[in-house]
Amino acid sequence: MNSKKFFLLNILSNKYFHILTLYIIFFFVILILNNNILITNEFIKHHSTYFRDDIVFVYNSLLYSSGLEIHHLDHPSLFTYFFFSLFYKVFNFFGFLSFNDLEGFLNSDNIELSLNKLFYISRFIIQIISLLTIFLFYEISKKYSKDGLISFFLTVIFIFSIGFVSASNRIESGLISLFFALLAFYFFIKFIENSNRKGLTYFLLTFLFIF
């Protein structure tokens, strides 16, 4: 009986079990908030069901990918456009998209379907960043709480917070900015913890990601 209890406690305090559980929770949140997450052409979510301003980031990412001047500068976010355009190229390479820039989009056979795919990919990127943000939040909170279980429950609260739920379901730059801010803070903590040459590397990484 004691061995079973010890085994259960080991699982509950295991970092990788916490991360996996957090990712499963986030996945179910995405499922609840999205009626359709399928990637097939027949069932892919229509672009009109996204938020109105989301088109700005998709459009500017196509402009960035084409080397053209970015419009709508009231939504500035160079890293967002860079990430989106990079993933457009990746999905183009694997055949999911038949283009990776604005000219290719305008010349596509089915603009409606192409736009749906661009929104899907952009949303996919945001949710990948969401997973990385969840991991960073867990790691940072663990350094302060010194207890994996406390960090786990703090991260669960973070996942269900209105700000994170909203940002992880929008195509915008807010979550990407949060990710880099947390990444910079994580490396700053590592810098404080390390007084050797490795600490200098963490210090440089802090400045790299905060700017």
Side-chain angles (χ1 to χ4, degrees):
M1 189 69 180
N2 286 334
S3 60
K4 287 183 179 180
K5 186 178 179 181
F6 179 74
F7 177 73
L8 182 61
L9 287 173
N10 271 343
I11 291 178
L12 291 175
S13 60
N14 184 274
K15 168 185 171 179
Y16 299 105
F17 174 76
H18 291 167
I19 298 296
L20 179 61
T21 307
L22 291 168
Y23 284 172
I24 291 171
I25 291 170
F26 177 69
F27 177 73
F28 277 107
V29 170
I30 295 301
L31 280 180
I32 291 168
L33 295 175
N34 297 274
N35 295 327
N36 187 5
I37 61 170
L38 297 176
I39 199 170
T40 58
N41 292 349
E42 294 81 8
F43 299 105
I44 193 169
K45 187 176 178 180
H46 195 266
H47 63 84
S48 63
T49 61
Y50 291 84
F51 291 91
R52 184 183 62 183
D53 290 346
D54 291 356
I55 186 64
V56 173
F57 293 92
V58 174
Y59 174 60
N60 272 343
S61 299
L62 288 173
L63 289 175
Y64 181 85
S65 189
S66 302
L68 301 173
E69 183 182 356
I70 293 172
H71 299 167
H72 305 289
L73 295 180
D74 53 327
H75 292 279
S77 184
L78 182 61
F79 276 112
T80 305
Y81 307 143
F82 170 76
F83 279 124
F84 285 2
S85 62
L86 178 64
F87 272 81
Y88 294 164
K89 287 179 173 64
V90 170
F91 277 80
N92 173 240
F93 177 80
F94 286 105
F96 180 69
L97 280 177
S98 58
F99 59 89
N100 57 37
D101 57 17
L102 185 60
E103 183 181 358
F105 167 71
L106 294 174
N107 293 326
S108 60
D109 296 331
N110 188 334
I111 287 185
E112 189 85 358
L113 177 61
S114 296
L115 193 55
N116 292 344
K117 287 183 175 182
L118 286 171
F119 271 80
Y120 186 95
I121 294 166
S122 303
R123 182 73 165 277
F124 174 76
I125 299 164
I126 290 296
Q127 286 164 357
I128 292 295
I129 296 294
S130 298
L131 293 175
L132 295 174
T133 303
I134 288 169
F135 175 78
L136 280 175
F137 188 91
Y138 172 84
E139 285 291 324
I140 291 171
S141 61
K142 190 176 178 183
K143 287 185 178 295
Y144 283 97
S145 68
K146 306 297 183 184
D147 188 315
L149 205 55
I150 292 175
S151 300
F152 171 78
F153 285 113
L154 286 173
T155 311
V156 170
I157 293 170
F158 172 70
I159 291 173
F160 284 101
S161 65
I162 295 173
F164 182 75
V165 169
S166 174
S168 61
N169 282 276
R170 291 288 308 275
I171 299 171
E172 59 174 12
S173 58
L175 190 69
I176 295 176
S177 299
L178 174 63
F179 166 71
F180 279 112
L182 287 176
L183 189 60
F185 187 55
Y186 176 76
F187 282 125
F188 182 69
I189 294 172
K190 298 288 284 184
F191 160 68
I192 293 173
E193 292 176 343
N194 292 270
S195 57
N196 51 22
R197 185 176 293 180
K198 204 172 182 180
L200 178 61
T201 304
Y202 290 130
F203 183 73
L204 294 174
L205 287 170
T206 300
F207 271 89
L208 174 66
F209 290 114
I210 204 168
F211 293 111

